[in-house]
Amino acid sequence: MKETHLLDLPDGHLSLEVASNDRNKVTETIIRLFGKPRIELLAPSGSIHFFGGAEFIFQDERDDPCLMSRSDEGDAILRQLIEALKPS
């Protein structure tokens, strides 16, 4: 089973690769840390999410969800999010 982790993207930013069983936990943690995201739908498998003052692209193709940063601020938010998701 895949674990939730950060992945370096070719553009120098980060992607939060989300394990299927962590989807709800990731959503709850985003809301707890940054408030409810504003979501705009894109193509059938994607959407843009705005939270924490940054923009992210969310894709969920073949049950393989990921949240991709588009900025340095977004990278910092994904690092904060992955730390918050670690078991205590």
Side-chain angles (χ1 to χ4, degrees):
M1 178 183 306
K2 175 178 117 173
E3 291 185 20
T4 298
H5 64 280
L6 290 178
L7 177 70
D8 292 316
L9 296 174
D11 67 0
H13 293 296
L14 297 173
S15 176
L16 180 67
E17 305 291 304
V18 180
S20 295
N21 60 329
D22 283 346
R23 290 177 71 128
N24 290 338
K25 185 177 180 181
V26 169
T27 300
E28 291 165 2
T29 303
I30 289 170
I31 292 169
R32 179 174 52 82
L33 294 176
F34 306 105
K36 187 173 180 182
R38 182 172 55 103
I39 301 170
E40 296 177 9
L41 297 179
L42 293 174
S45 64
S47 57
I48 299 177
H49 292 229
F50 300 89
F51 60 88
E55 175 182 315
F56 302 88
I57 295 177
F58 178 76
Q59 291 185 331
D60 189 5
E61 296 181 16
R62 298 176 301 276
D63 198 32
D64 195 19
C66 65
L67 190 61
M68 295 177 285
S69 169
R70 292 292 174 234
S71 66
D72 292 340
E73 294 83 3
D75 294 343
I77 288 169
L78 291 183
R79 285 186 186 98
Q80 183 180 355
L81 186 55
I82 198 76
E83 285 300 315
L85 290 166
K86 288 182 180 177
S88 328

